[in-house]
């Protein structure tokens, strides 16, 4: 390691950034095929930004990621971040479930050092692959003092997002992410970092879930409401899940038949969170759809992020009021 440049570790997990297909083509490829060293070697100037070390932790399509991968990844990052000579960490990841991993890490990583996720929409073998520029800028962000204390972040298309709020909004374009109504944390101007906002929600060092290593997560499922949906799906889900996140219509809504079944199952100890299938806005408490206050509103969290928080919350408490407080704070 040199004297001035920061020491950044790249933890590779796979995804389209490591994807390979017919040379020049952007679709019909396999994610998680190329080694991180090969990707780094394809990026001009990256070794002038920081002293890099790469760890190939997994090499999977992010649809293969699960709770065990999250726990291994969080432990690995916490271990690396605790080392004095490590200044920042970059994680390469598939874009499909990156929002979930980013939020899980945001809640479980115990460091003020920058942790930055990135990936790509086009495989490494495509014309104008977006992975190299995204990885280059993620390394620049992880090396920058302005990135300290923002929690886990992600960089895509020269835009910096928070791990809490990032969501995938296009399954096709390279500019595939946004941060709901909250814009973004900042922008990248080539290698320069320009931060503009900060989240008020707890993360990393302030997070109760980062205090000790997570070893397992309780089962929490997600059910999606649509016009005419029968409540049996709730009954089935409750058989082997401690918590259920409902992706309701509008502001976390559903039919009277669903409300009846939710109240029956809540009385048996199932913890419910109401989220929404609408990806902007907020889910509040509702006297109409939750008249006896058995559900926890997701606030601005998507269903899949609400599931991450409910799993972590259920690992520290079973109390609905306490979980409601957690949902307001995180
Ligand atoms: C994946 O999520 O691993 C595949 C899709 C992508 O990275 O864009």
């Amino acid at each position: 390691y040199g004297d001035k440049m920061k020491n950044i570790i790249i933890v590779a997990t796979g995804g389209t950034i490591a994807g390979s297909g017919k040379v020049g083509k952007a679709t019909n490829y396999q994610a998680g095929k190329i080694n991180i060293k090969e990707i780094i070697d394809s990026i001009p100037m990256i070794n002038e930004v920081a002293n890099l070390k790469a760890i190939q932790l997994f090499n999977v399509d992010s649809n293969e990621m699960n709770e065990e991968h999250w726990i291994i990844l969080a432990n690995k990052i916490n271990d690396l971040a605790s080392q004095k000579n490590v200044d920042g960490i970059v994680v390469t990841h598939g874009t499909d479930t990156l929002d979930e991993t980013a939020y899980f890490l945001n809640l479980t990583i115990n460091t003020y050092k920058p942790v930055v996720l990135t990936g790509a929409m086009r495989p490494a073998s495509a014309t104008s692959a977006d992975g190299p520029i995204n990885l280059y800028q993620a390394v620049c962000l992880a090396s920058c003092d302005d990135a300290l204390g923002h929690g886990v972040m992600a960089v895509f298309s020269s835009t910096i997002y928070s791990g809490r709020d990032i969501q995938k909004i296009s399954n096709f374009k390279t500019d595939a992410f946004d941060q709901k109504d909250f814009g973004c944390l900042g922008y990248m101007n080539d290698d320069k970092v320009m931060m503009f906002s900060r989240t008020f929600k707890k993360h990393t060092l302030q997070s109760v879930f980062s205090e000790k290593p997570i070893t397992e997560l309780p089962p929490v499922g997600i059910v999606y409401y649509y016009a005419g949906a029968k409540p049996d799906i709730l009954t089935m889900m409750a058989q082997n899940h401690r918590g259920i996140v409902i992706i309701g219509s509008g502001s976390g809504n559903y039919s009277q038949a669903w409300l009846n079944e939710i109240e029956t199952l809540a009385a048996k100890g199932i913890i419910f969170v109401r989220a929404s299938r609408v990806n902007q806005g907020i889910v509040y408490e509702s006297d109409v759809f939750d008249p006896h206050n058995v559900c926890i509103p997701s606030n601005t969290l998507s269903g899949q992020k609400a599931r991450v928080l409910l799993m972590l919350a259920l690992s520290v408490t079973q109390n609905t009021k306490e979980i409601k407080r957690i949902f307001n704070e995180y």
Side-chain angles (χ1 to χ4, degrees):
Y1 283 137
D3 282 344
K4 288 198 183 116
M5 282 201 298
K6 297 277 178 70
N7 301 321
I8 304 297
I9 314 285
I10 301 177
V11 180
T13 73
T16 294
I17 191 167
S20 177
K22 202 164 176 201
V23 175
K25 299 285 183 195
T27 56
N28 286 321
Y29 59 88
Q30 274 203 299
K33 286 283 143 206
I34 295 176
N35 191 281
I36 186 63
K37 296 231 164 61
E38 220 181 294
I39 305 169
I40 294 170
D41 287 346
S42 76
I43 306 176
M45 319 260 292
I46 196 164
N47 289 305
E48 291 173 31
V49 176
N51 300 306
L52 295 178
K53 267 191 191 164
I55 297 170
Q56 189 76 56
L57 190 61
F58 317 120
N59 208 357
V60 294
D61 185 304
S62 76
N63 294 292
E64 303 301 331
M65 292 291 285
N66 57 34
E67 299 83 356
E68 283 100 76
H69 291 90
W70 291 345
I71 291 170
I72 293 168
L73 180 59
N75 289 341
K76 186 74 189 173
I77 295 173
N78 276 328
D79 177 41
L80 292 168
S82 70
Q83 295 171 24
K84 263 203 183 127
N85 63 346
V86 172
D87 297 307
I89 292 148
V90 169
V91 179
T92 59
H93 196 288
T95 62
D96 281 354
T97 66
L98 179 136
D99 58 336
E100 295 170 65
T101 302
Y103 191 42
F104 181 79
L105 296 178
N106 195 46
L107 298 170
T108 55
I109 296 304
N110 192 256
T111 185
Y112 65 93
K113 295 177 186 177
V115 176
V116 182
L117 279 80
T118 197
M121 289 297 287
R122 293 182 184 148
S125 48
T127 301
S128 300
D130 53 330
I133 179 71
N134 286 343
L135 182 54
Y136 175 77
Q137 293 190 323
V139 170
C140 295
L141 179 60
S143 311
C144 177
D145 288 343
D146 289 355
L148 296 172
H150 283 276
V152 172
M153 294 171 285
V155 167
F156 276 91
S157 286
S158 301
T159 311
I160 305 164
Y161 299 106
S162 88
R164 181 188 187 274
D165 297 314
I166 188 170
Q167 63 175 358
K168 188 169 182 181
I169 48 147
S170 173
N171 53 22
F172 183 63
K173 296 179 183 172
T174 51
D175 191 8
F177 290 87
D178 79 5
Q179 204 177 278
K180 305 197 145 211
D181 292 329
F182 312 119
C184 60
L185 294 182
Y187 297 108
M188 298 298 301
N189 176 3
D190 259 326
D191 55 335
K192 289 182 200 58
V193 175
M194 308 179 82
M195 299 300 288
F196 289 97
S197 64
R198 185 179 279 284
T199 178
F200 279 96
K201 296 297 179 188
K202 286 187 175 176
H203 56 72
T204 54
L205 289 179
Q206 315 123 22
S207 168
V208 68
F209 311 112
S210 75
E211 282 170 9
K212 49 180 196 254
I214 310 283
T215 50
E216 57 176 340
L217 291 163
V220 172
I222 299 181
V223 292
Y224 197 100
Y225 183 74
Y226 53 90
K230 303 274 179 292
D232 332 15
I233 184 78
L234 296 163
T235 327
M236 281 189 281
M237 188 66 86
Q239 282 166 13
N240 50 7
H241 292 84
R242 295 240 309 271
I244 298 178
V245 176
I246 297 162
I247 302 194
S249 58
S251 41
N253 306 335
Y254 32 72
S255 64
Q256 184 64 47
W258 269 45
L259 173 56
N260 296 343
E261 185 60 9
I262 288 164
E263 293 197 333
T264 304
L265 295 170
K268 294 181 182 160
I270 303 291
I271 307 284
F272 283 95
V273 170
R274 289 171 46 242
S276 173
R277 65 189 205 186
V278 180
N279 73 355
Q280 304 282 5
I282 180 161
V283 175
Y284 291 123
E285 285 177 357
S286 166
D287 293 344
V288 176
F289 291 96
D290 185 26
H292 301 106
N293 267 307
V294 299
C295 297
I296 297 148
S298 72
N299 290 321
T300 62
L301 294 176
S302 63
Q304 65 270 27
K305 289 200 189 213
R307 173 178 176 265
V308 169
L309 185 55
L310 183 55
M311 284 191 293
L312 288 167
L314 282 171
S315 66
V316 295
T317 178
Q318 307 294 312
N319 182 298
T320 307
K321 267 202 188 134
E322 180 62 9
I323 300 176
K324 214 173 254 186
R325 186 190 59 73
I326 289 172
F327 268 74
N328 285 331
E329 284 181 10
Y330 292 83

